[in-house]
Amino acid sequence: MSVERQCINNPNHVFFVPNYKIKEGKGRFCSKKCEYEHRQKPLVIIERFFERIDKIILEPCWICDRKPLSTGYTNFTFTRNRKEYCILPHRFSWFIHFGKIPKDMFVLHECDVRRCVRPSHLFLGDHDLNMA
């Protein structure tokens, strides 16, 4: 059994998806090309970033739910203009909320929780401050 769906990237594209694919969370795009184009959009990248953040009201930190690396940090990977980028989530959070990070500056955590991406817990500092 198949269901008629509209493509998320291009609502003018109508296609049919088997029920089992919908249950698996698939069948949102009419083609791989549309899925790729959709994932390139800046707002989609930001939405994907926030899907990975646990914002618990009673907790002060917003924790990135990705598995931490041996350093205690996590990675956020995305593709833009056919180039793959890998960035630390707290740096991406700073970029989203405050803009570019100046050269030779570090994004530091006021809370000292490496997986925290809450903007109010982040501040800029130099290498010496980072090592203190």
Side-chain angles (χ1 to χ4, degrees):
M1 185 79 174
S2 293
V3 177
E4 186 176 347
R5 303 284 297 260
Q6 282 185 318
C7 181
I8 289 175
N9 190 51
N10 187 344
N12 294 329
H13 293 178
V14 177
F15 61 105
F16 291 90
V17 181
N19 282 341
Y20 74 90
K21 289 214 175 203
I22 295 171
K23 289 177 185 174
E24 293 174 357
K26 298 177 181 173
R28 299 175 359 171
F29 302 96
C30 63
S31 66
K32 289 282 186 189
K33 181 183 177 203
C34 270
E35 181 178 6
Y36 180 80
E37 287 174 0
H38 182 73
R39 290 183 156 272
Q40 298 294 305
K41 296 176 182 174
L43 287 178
V44 173
I45 294 169
I46 293 170
E47 285 173 10
R48 281 187 50 236
F49 173 74
F50 280 110
E51 286 173 1
R52 291 165 169 80
I53 306 304
D54 287 334
K55 293 183 190 177
I56 301 172
I57 295 170
L58 300 175
E59 296 292 322
C61 294
W62 295 353
I63 302 296
C64 184
D65 69 358
R66 307 304 281 178
K67 183 180 176 187
L69 305 170
S70 60
T71 60
Y73 291 101
T74 59
N75 282 335
F76 175 63
T77 306
F78 63 94
T79 305
R80 181 91 170 112
N81 297 328
R82 299 194 182 274
K83 184 176 178 186
E84 190 168 279
Y85 296 89
C86 184
I87 187 169
L88 295 171
H90 66 285
R91 292 180 63 85
F92 191 73
S93 179
W94 179 275
F95 178 77
I96 292 169
H97 293 95
F98 304 112
K100 270 188 141 178
I101 301 167
K103 189 176 179 187
D104 298 328
M105 294 299 277
F106 292 79
V107 178
L108 308 176
H109 294 91
E110 211 171 81
C111 58
D112 290 329
V113 177
R114 291 181 176 183
R115 292 171 55 202
C116 179
V117 297
R118 189 175 193 144
S120 62
H121 290 197
L122 304 175
F123 66 99
L124 291 177
D126 60 10
H127 182 273
D128 294 335
L129 190 55
N130 192 32
M131 294 293 116

